[in-house]
Amino acid sequence: EIVCVAFLLMAVNIEDISKIRKTYYQALTHEKSILALHELGKQHQNSALGKAYYGTAKALQARESSWVPTKISLANEASELLNSAVELDKNSTEVRFLRLSFEAATPAMLNLNSHVNSDVNFLSNKLEKNHPLNYVIKAWVNKTDDITKNQKARIKARLLP
């Protein structure tokens, strides 16, 4: 009984997930939405998905920051949150994609990109063609220069045309 109650408390309901995803889509191109994503992720950081979006918000804040020490600090926080989210749910394609999109774009000198190959391999094998983030993943794969052509092709093979 206690385990069931704890699991239910950790779950994010479908309405919250939809709202978080919508805010994430907006935050990718609108800086004003990053704070909203930050707050939504923070509210749900007891779940792997909420924690991953919280980490992604930190990553987007780092991207937008003009002060290098702040960029580095936020990137480190993002990395910790994203890695912790994967530990909570190693089989979540959404969590693994969020970590991949962060790590692949992170400068190697920060040593925050050690999971790129494992996340590409995971997505290449587990990504479902009907996943709600598929069009975001497809757009990212088409746009990014941060993974190899072979890695791109392997992920694209799992996506809808």
Side-chain angles (χ1 to χ4, degrees), residues 7 57 110 116 122 151:
F7 180 75
L110 295 179
V116 170
F122 180 86
Q151 290 172 320

Side-chain angles (χ1 to χ4, degrees), residues 95-109:
V95 170
R96 297 290 283 264
F97 166 71
L98 292 169
R99 181 173 72 176
L100 171 62
S101 64
F102 164 72
E103 286 195 2
T106 303
M109 68 181 206

Side-chain angles (χ1 to χ4, degrees), residues 121-136:
N121 289 338
F122 180 86
L123 292 172
S124 297
N125 292 313
K126 304 286 185 180
L127 189 60
E128 299 166 4
K129 291 195 183 304
N130 63 346
H131 192 281
L133 278 191
N134 273 2
Y135 75 92
V136 173

Side-chain angles (χ1 to χ4, degrees), residues 6 8-9 11 18 22 24 35 39 41 50 61-62 73 76-77 82 89 113-114 120 125 132 138 140 144 147 152 159:
L8 289 173
L9 289 174
S18 295
K22 181 180 179 185
Y24 165 67
L35 182 58
E39 291 307 310
Q61 288 173 322
S73 176
N76 283 319
E77 288 180 55
L82 288 161
D89 189 354
N113 51 9
S114 61
V120 166
N125 292 313
K138 186 175 183 178
W140 179 81
T144 189
I147 60 175
K152 285 181 173 192
L159 298 169

Side-chain angles (χ1 to χ4, degrees), residues 76-88:
N76 283 319
E77 288 180 55
S79 179
E80 288 176 21
L81 288 163
L82 288 161
N83 288 331
S84 177
V86 171
E87 286 302 311
L88 287 173

